[in-house]
Amino acid sequence: MLFRSVTQGLVARFHAAQVGALSTDDAKKVTQWLDLVGGHHLTPVAVEQAPSWVAKAIVGRPGVRLTGAGGLQTGPFDHGAALGVWSVVCTEAEGGPGAWLQQGAWGFVGAAGQLGFPDSKGPSLAVAQSTCYVLGAQLSAGQVQLTLVDQSPQVKTGSASVQAAKAALVLGGKGDPAMVGEVLLYDHALSDTERDSVIDYLRKAWGLVPP
């Protein structure tokens, strides 16, 4: 159960372990990933290259395997001048987290163990192979800040100037494969207190807290 500090301003939520949240075909290819908050449902960019649902992807929990070949997207929506996007993502044995998330013209692009922005618009954050992270992006006043939290938890940040307005939320479709378990989309850039609560929730919910 999400507590209030995590749900305040939450406009979309995608959860790979939620019963009934995902529709798949006989080959476990995702045909729809339901938004548990609003109507921003994710569907394949190309049906023949749809991501796969995996029963044990993230610390024994289900996940969706994103690849560079195909992704999932919502319809266009107007997010205004600020937003926050937070997720649980696991890299694979080779490569980085791929373009696990892209909002319009900006997003995360992973290659050669780096997490950063497309077209070299901002700094990159180093990621390890076969590792799970909480990843965040906050858009406010034309600035996007990336946050990467590993299981330690070690926090890394980087920022860049961008332009973004009305666009679709896209998962996957570029870069290296990665597993994603949950995505939270907010209508504002989170405060430090809200950010800490979301990170704590995601780490505990997906088993990223060391025993």
Side-chain angles (χ1 to χ4, degrees):
M1 191 75 178
L2 293 175
F3 44 92
R4 182 171 178 79
S5 59
V6 173
T7 58
Q8 185 70 35
L10 184 65
V11 295
R13 182 188 180 210
F14 306 94
H15 198 298
Q18 184 78 32
V19 175
L22 283 131
S23 298
T24 62
D25 61 17
D26 292 340
K28 298 300 182 182
K29 296 289 186 180
V30 176
T31 57
Q32 186 179 57
W33 195 352
L34 295 180
D35 173 11
L36 300 176
V37 174
H40 305 300
H41 307 314
L42 290 162
T43 56
V45 175
V47 174
E48 66 277 7
Q49 296 178 328
S52 301
W53 180 83
V54 180
K56 294 184 178 182
I58 301 174
V59 197
R61 296 161 174 79
V64 173
R65 185 175 187 267
L66 305 175
T67 70
L72 299 168
Q73 65 181 359
T74 66
F77 63 94
D78 189 356
H79 60 66
L83 59 77
V85 187
W86 294 85
S87 185
V88 171
V89 176
C90 293
T91 60
E92 296 196 352
E94 297 181 1
W100 72 274
L101 178 80
Q102 183 175 335
Q103 171 71 21
W106 64 271
F108 299 125
V109 174
Q114 295 291 316
L115 171 69
F117 294 92
D119 304 322
S120 301
K121 292 182 179 179
S124 293
L125 303 178
V127 297
Q129 297 174 352
S130 301
T131 303
C132 295
Y133 296 95
V134 172
L135 300 180
Q138 304 242 86
L139 171 64
S140 180
Q143 291 281 322
V144 168
Q145 182 180 60
L146 292 179
T147 301
L148 176 68
V149 185
D150 62 19
Q151 292 168 272
S152 302
Q154 179 182 359
V155 179
K156 304 176 183 178
T157 61
S159 62
S161 298
V162 298
Q163 291 182 345
K166 188 172 183 178
L169 178 68
V170 181
L171 304 181
K174 296 180 181 179
D176 301 310
M179 297 289 186
V180 59
E182 184 169 2
V183 180
L184 303 174
L185 176 62
Y186 293 89
D187 63 5
H188 63 287
L190 303 186
S191 67
D192 290 348
T193 299
E194 291 174 322
R195 179 201 62 201
D196 291 345
S197 294
V198 168
I199 291 173
D200 184 63
Y201 157 71
L202 289 172
R203 292 181 70 237
K204 289 178 178 177
W206 289 89
L208 306 188
V209 179

